[in-house]
Amino acid sequence: MRKLVAALIIVAGACAVLYAADPGRAAPDMPGACSADNRTQAGCILLSLGPAEYDHSRPQIVFDHERHVRELGERACADCHAKKTDGTLVFEFPKNTADTAAPDSLTKAWHDSCIGCHAERSNWGQDAGPVTCGECHARDRHSAFVYAPVLPSYYDPLRDTYHGECRNCHKKPALTAENAGELDWKKFYVHKGEVTEPQQLPSGFDYHRHDLHSRTLKDDCGLCHYLSPEKRRALDHAEKKPQCSDWLLEPDPQGIWREEDYAHSRCVNCHFTRKAAGEEKAGPLLCSGCHTHDARTPEQMKDVARSDCEQKEKILITSDNATALAAVPFDHAAHQLRTTSCQECHHKNMQACRECHTPTGDEKGEFVTLAQAYHREQVNRSCVGCHAEQKQKGECAGCHQQLPSTLESKSACTACHSGSLEALQRKRATVPPESLMPPGTKDSLHIGKLGQDYEKVDFKHLQIAKALAAASEKSLLAGHFHTDGMAMCAACHHYSPLEKGKPVPACRTCHDKKDILAAGRPDLLGAYHQQCLGCHQKMGGTEEKMPQTCEGCHARTGT
Amino acid sequence: MQRIGSLAGAAVLSPVTPARAGSPALAVLVDTTLCVGCRACEQACNEVNPDLPLVPDTFFRDASVFDRRRRMDADAFTVVNRYQNPAGDPAYVKFQCMHCLQPACVSACLVGALTRDACGAVIYDESKCIGCRYCMAACPFQVPAYEYASVLTPRVRKCTFCFNTRLADGKIPACVEACPMRVMSFGLRDELIALGRERIRNNPGRYEQHIYGEHEAGGTAWMYLASMPFEQLDLPRLGYHPLPGYTEPIQHALFKWFLPPLGLFAALAGIMWFNKRKAKQSGEDA
């Protein structure tokens, strides 16, 4: 009997251990804690498990930093972070990373730091965190699969189409995986394990906060920014005051600006010291104090003073290359009003783009050439990239999703490269859409019955043209680039030459009525639906104005 | 038969022939970024298959079905589910049999009730089926459904690619024709892969840079384009190796020319004969 009881106890104990270690089972979440749904919130940090191709037996952890600070208090910072002799903290974790090159040693350091502290606290009878594997490495709580090729840095979607050109060299796996060696394209398709990066919330150091800091700190730029030693010497020698462009964001001009190290060690330590000195407005210490969700929009900061760097209001961006396109007139002041911080464009320092991005590209500019710096569509700090992002907005996206991307359209180059500052003064003449159409165009067009289930459509051509013209007029960006009224016709009447007052080819010219996919083009029925409904969905208007249901445009047959 | 040939150019209809990637098979490319979730495909599928239960018109206009993830069942060969893309907009995905180039269900079927026609359709013959449901276990997309409600004559149910109902008459599948957004493009597989790549190339940023089904599980006839990771759209991450490729070498090696079983029987017979002789000898000795 005693044996039976002992066996039962052992089995029960084993079950309890397995249950606790089960990755699928997670401790009940605190409200506001990091979880799969809100891992984007401030204070959720994804702990890396080493290289992505490393075979991880346990999922990654989303570490709830905010919760640790809230529960342990600010004084406990030094429990996790190293304290320097001058009392400032080094915001790296874990404290004692003896040999970070070896993944095992880092793993051990993490486990020792976390579990050690949890175990110690629980020994003292305090509230403690988990000590079993599955409670931190919880699969369903924090992670999901990510299915994406890890593209090499030299990959450029504009130039290479992944499945076309890449595989010319990186052969298909089924054919030559064994002897492909370094060129095995499977290497780019690594299984990233359960990696879902919590999005880095921007700290939101916008014009407003910069203004606040410079007023509080009495324009002492040196408290946050650095001068390179050479610069300091040169300025001292000339007895000059440093200018905006002299200041660096980071102490080491050669170093890569790693925001987390730089900002945390400067900002948080400064807030700490000021609070210790008893200042009332010492600045936030919690993650969510700086990393706020509700970022200010440029419109909200209209009246906030922009940093005075003695910048010109209007610049003509020229090129040294004699054969290059005409210069680009650039309204710096207008762009300042429509951004939230200088760093949206000046991402590393306050110098002009060409200071780092040379025409041919070199190490200083991370081999991004000057042309790329202005034209890369994939990054939003380039001209083209930011304008492309603006076109994703509802009122623009309706038309622009149907149009080729900026760099592929024919008139793209001269729209910016106009050669003189006068282009910035360009006043738009409001053109009534009726005047652009060929005489005799009906206000409302009838689209005949194409299927059996629905009646014909009464298409309000003029009303739509007027609405689009009005939307374009409202926006300064649109106004600058929609130089002639016909631009508003181009999204629907795509691929056809547009001339004022001249008739355009009808949709059915190219979109066949019967053949569903003639030459890769949708048929007439598909073309109407894709264009009308696609635009309505993107613009997201009311059902009455921009119907998204079948009956919104055409009645059902027999009703 | 002849008419499908003319419809699809080089597609040849012949009894089961081993399929290979790149063969002139018919296929469908589903551009999920275009789908608006109108469910006209579901309705068309229901109408074209007379043995599916009659569903009222209003059901297909009921958007509340999107509140939960549905699966194909004995009453529906195709379903549309709603997901959310990172921008917060709804993304709709149509599911049906993927009509693999090297189908696991065909490999698993003991009696040959499931076959893959050279035109690309994986077809089911209920007269041969014994109801073992191995196909349901084998399918990596969990497509085949079973008529559990039918007591006497339950069948395995799945999308037919409109093989008998429409393809044989030279028509395109009903769902493809019904779709008002032309989400689906029907044609030769190679051409559709080219079309898919062209769309990805011409619309930077719009698509995930991958055609799902081009290589998954050795390639499927139904392929997908999407604006977000395919796993988030319930299209499972599969290897590129055809699934029958894992099991068939073992089975085929075991039973090649029936030699291993014959060898086993021969060895057993030898042992028996040896033992018998020993017993006889010892008997004689005694």
Side-chain angles (χ1 to χ4, degrees):
Chain A
M1 189 61 198
R2 218 184 279 166
K3 260 186 190 168
L4 188 68
V5 170
L8 277 176
I9 289 171
I10 289 169
V11 168
C15 286
V17 167
L18 286 174
Y19 183 58
D22 178 17
R25 196 191 69 90
D29 280 339
M30 271 190 26
C34 298
S35 70
D37 299 326
N38 63 347
R39 65 170 88 83
T40 55
Q41 73 175 20
C44 301
I45 302 166
L46 183 90
L47 301 183
S48 166
L49 288 179
E53 58 272 21
Y54 198 78
D55 186 23
H56 307 302
S57 53
R58 292 276 182 179
Q60 281 192 306
I61 298 170
V62 176
F63 174 73
D64 198 337
H65 188 275
E66 184 101 355
R67 185 174 166 188
H68 279 80
V69 180
R70 273 188 204 287
E71 293 195 3
L72 298 175
E74 290 143 18
R75 273 185 224 155
C77 294
D79 287 356
C80 300
H81 300 294
K83 206 167 198 170
K84 286 198 278 192
T85 42
D86 62 352
T88 56
L89 291 159
V90 180
F91 290 101
E92 276 188 2
F93 184 79
K95 271 201 267 196
N96 38 0
T97 47
D99 178 18
T100 48
D104 281 355
S105 75
L106 200 56
T107 311
K108 193 175 176 307
W110 265 330
H111 284 159
D112 288 352
S113 305
C114 297
I115 303 171
C117 183
H118 289 176
E120 195 180 329
R121 288 179 64 83
S122 101
N123 280 347
W124 290 0
Q126 288 167 312
D127 275 349
V131 287
T132 56
C133 312
E135 284 174 296
C136 288
H137 294 275
R139 192 174 295 273
D140 55 345
R141 247 169 90 201
H142 299 322
S143 44
F145 277 100
V146 159
Y147 182 82
V150 175
L151 295 168
S153 54
Y154 51 81
Y155 170 77
D156 179 358
L158 256 190
R159 191 191 58 209
D160 313 327
T161 297
Y162 187 62
H163 284 102
E165 283 77 359
C166 294
R167 285 209 204 154
N168 288 343
C169 299
H170 305 286
K171 298 284 190 286
K172 288 183 186 177
L175 300 175
T176 52
E178 291 82 7
N179 41 21
E182 282 304 296
L183 288 178
D184 178 5
W185 73 273
K186 264 200 292 186
K187 284 194 176 149
F188 299 113
Y189 238 106
V190 262
H191 163 34
K192 288 174 102 179
E194 287 102 10
V195 185
T196 316
E197 299 246 1
Q199 279 170 353
Q200 268 274 324
L201 261 191
S203 61
F205 205 88
D206 49 20
Y207 293 127
H208 172 79
R209 286 199 184 160
H210 191 269
D211 187 45
L212 201 74
H213 277 82
S214 60
R215 272 190 285 126
T216 318
L217 304 173
K218 315 237 167 11
D219 288 330
D220 190 352
C221 307
L223 279 176
C224 303
H225 299 289
Y226 300 89
L227 280 178
S228 68
E230 302 89 53
K231 198 74 181 181
R232 186 176 288 281
R233 244 176 279 133
L235 287 170
D236 285 348
H237 188 69
E239 290 181 5
K240 269 194 201 163
K241 280 181 82 181
Q243 289 180 316
C244 266
S245 57
D246 297 334
W247 291 110
L248 299 169
L249 288 162
E250 52 189 317
D252 175 12
Q254 298 302 321
I256 296 166
W257 180 28
R258 284 204 302 148
E259 197 177 355
E260 60 265 37
D261 299 347
Y262 166 74
H264 288 147
S265 57
R266 288 295 272 189
C267 305
V268 184
N269 271 324
C270 184
H271 293 175
F272 258 123
T273 350
R274 293 173 72 85
K275 196 176 183 191
E279 275 186 54
E280 241 174 68
K281 287 181 177 176
L285 290 172
L286 276 177
C287 307
S288 55
C290 297
H291 297 272
T292 44
H293 262 295
D294 43 346
R296 285 175 207 83
T297 59
E299 286 75 38
Q300 286 169 327
M301 290 191 287
K302 240 179 189 163
D303 303 324
V304 176
R306 303 314 197 232
S307 321
D308 179 19
C309 291
E310 292 164 8
Q311 66 269 36
K312 282 184 194 156
E313 284 205 351
K314 291 185 171 68
I315 314 162
L316 202 59
I317 303 173
T318 51
S319 166
D320 304 333
N321 190 346
T323 55
L325 279 161
V328 177
F330 177 69
D331 193 337
H332 191 273
H335 282 83
Q336 259 190 313
L337 275 177
R338 278 158 191 85
T339 48
T340 54
S341 74
C342 302
Q343 275 129 51
E344 274 188 40
C345 303
H346 296 277
H347 53 110
K348 279 215 170 156
N349 55 41
M350 301 304 292
Q351 291 170 322
C353 308
R354 68 181 61 208
E355 295 296 324
C356 299
H357 299 292
T358 56
T360 46
D362 60 19
E363 215 175 331
K364 204 171 151 199
E366 287 178 18
F367 297 101
V368 176
T369 65
L370 189 59
Q372 280 174 333
Y374 289 131
H375 295 107
R376 273 185 93 152
E377 217 164 343
Q378 292 79 36
V379 286
N380 60 6
R381 52 177 176 259
S382 77
C383 305
V384 173
C386 182
H387 286 175
E389 200 179 72
Q390 299 302 314
K391 288 189 288 188
Q392 301 289 319
K393 286 182 184 167
E395 57 266 38
C396 309
C399 289
H400 278 285
Q401 62 151 356
Q402 324 247 2
L403 291 167
S405 64
T406 308
L407 295 178
E408 280 165 34
S409 61
K410 280 174 193 146
S411 59
C413 307
T414 48
C416 291
H417 292 269
S418 59
S420 76
L421 281 171
E422 280 158 35
L424 297 177
Q425 319 294 338
R426 198 161 49 202
K427 280 273 179 292
R428 277 169 298 147
T430 322
V431 196
E434 310 80 302
S435 68
L436 302 169
M437 297 173 194
T441 309
K442 286 178 196 150
D443 291 355
S444 187
L445 308 171
H446 289 291
I447 297 172
K449 219 173 140 176
L450 288 166
Q452 281 145 27
D453 296 337
Y454 289 93
E455 295 291 349
K456 60 187 181 185
V457 177
D458 186 24
F459 179 73
K460 299 185 178 70
H461 183 254
L462 181 66
Q463 197 182 321
I464 289 169
K466 277 184 174 168
L468 291 177
S472 160
E473 224 154 276
K474 256 192 353 202
S475 151
L476 190 78
L477 183 68
H480 184 74
F481 286 102
H482 297 173
T483 44
D484 81 71
M486 296 303 279
M488 303 309 293
C489 312
C492 296
H493 297 284
H494 53 185
Y495 303 116
S496 51
L498 293 170
E499 220 175 305
K500 195 178 165 184
K502 292 271 171 68
V504 289
C507 306
R508 62 176 177 278
T509 319
C510 301
H511 297 285
D512 197 273
K513 229 172 177 175
K514 287 193 185 114
D515 196 346
I516 280 195
L517 200 75
R521 289 191 294 269
D523 66 343
L524 195 57
L525 182 131
Y528 281 135
H529 279 107
Q530 281 181 16
Q531 201 154 65
C532 298
L533 208 45
C535 181
H536 288 189
Q537 281 194 328
K538 278 284 172 193
M539 293 189 76
T542 55
E543 177 68 22
E544 194 192 336
K545 272 189 172 173
M546 286 175 226
Q548 290 180 32
T549 58
C550 310
E551 285 84 358
C553 291
H554 36 44
R556 269 186 92 80
T557 321
T559 52
Chain B
M1 291 292 171
Q2 205 57 46
R3 281 154 90 180
I4 299 181
S6 64
L7 173 90
V12 192
L13 280 187
S14 63
V16 193
T17 46
R20 252 174 223 102
S23 69
L26 295 171
V28 175
L29 180 72
V30 186
D31 187 341
T32 60
T33 63
L34 292 172
C35 185
V36 293
C38 71
R39 297 173 65 210
C41 49
E42 285 186 37
Q43 187 168 14
C45 179
N46 185 268
E47 279 165 9
V48 84
N49 290 296
D51 53 347
L52 287 179
L54 193 69
V55 180
D57 223 25
T58 47
F59 170 73
F60 295 108
R61 277 178 279 151
D62 176 12
S64 68
V65 295
F66 291 127
D67 293 344
R68 62 185 186 88
R69 302 272 162 85
R70 295 180 298 152
R71 273 181 56 185
M72 286 76 77
D73 57 26
D75 298 341
F77 294 165
T78 182
V79 292
V80 180
N81 279 338
R82 183 173 62 196
Y83 301 85
Q84 215 174 37
N85 69 18
D89 298 327
Y92 297 93
V93 182
K94 174 189 183 294
F95 294 93
Q96 70 297 307
C97 173
M98 301 287 279
H99 296 279
C100 304
L101 301 190
Q102 299 183 51
C105 57
V106 172
S107 172
C109 186
L110 301 172
V111 290
L114 282 157
T115 46
R116 182 187 179 277
D117 191 274
C119 83
V122 176
I123 39 185
Y124 169 72
D125 182 354
E126 61 185 76
S127 66
K128 288 184 188 163
C129 181
I130 54 168
C132 69
R133 285 161 282 156
Y134 280 10
C135 50
M136 295 169 66
C139 178
F141 303 101
Q142 309 195 4
V143 167
Y146 197 63
E147 287 180 322
Y148 289 105
S150 168
V151 181
L152 295 177
T153 56
R155 293 169 294 177
V156 166
R157 307 296 276 147
K158 70 165 204 69
C159 159
T160 61
F161 215 151
C162 289
F163 183 74
N164 288 321
T165 43
R166 292 178 61 94
L167 287 192
D169 300 336
K171 292 187 201 158
I172 65 173
C175 51
V176 179
E177 191 180 87
C179 178
M181 290 297 280
R182 299 295 182 242
V183 168
M184 291 159 274
S185 312
F186 174 80
L188 286 177
R189 195 167 180 273
D190 291 350
E191 287 174 11
L192 290 178
I193 291 172
L195 177 73
R197 287 180 187 166
E198 197 182 307
R199 285 198 191 162
I200 294 173
R201 187 184 300 125
N202 292 345
N203 301 280
R206 182 179 174 126
Y207 296 104
E208 277 285 297
Q209 306 204 343
H210 179 67
I211 302 174
Y212 186 90
E214 187 187 349
H215 296 293
E216 271 73 11
T220 57
W222 281 67
M223 296 171 290
Y224 287 79
L225 290 176
S227 61
M228 54 192 279
F230 292 98
E231 256 133 53
Q232 294 171 22
L233 300 172
D234 283 349
L235 289 164
R237 203 178 67 85
L238 298 169
Y240 290 172
H241 195 70
L243 294 182
Y246 291 114
T247 50
E248 281 182 1
I250 301 169
Q251 292 170 345
H252 292 183
L254 272 183
F255 293 99
K256 196 154 199 183
W257 307 113
F258 213 62
L259 277 181
L262 280 180
L264 179 70
F265 289 139
L268 288 173
I271 292 166
M272 205 172 143
W273 173 79
F274 182 74
N275 283 345
K276 263 251 167 81
R277 204 184 62 162
K278 230 165 83 176
K280 217 174 179 181
Q281 276 172 358
S282 56
E284 276 169 11
D285 290 347

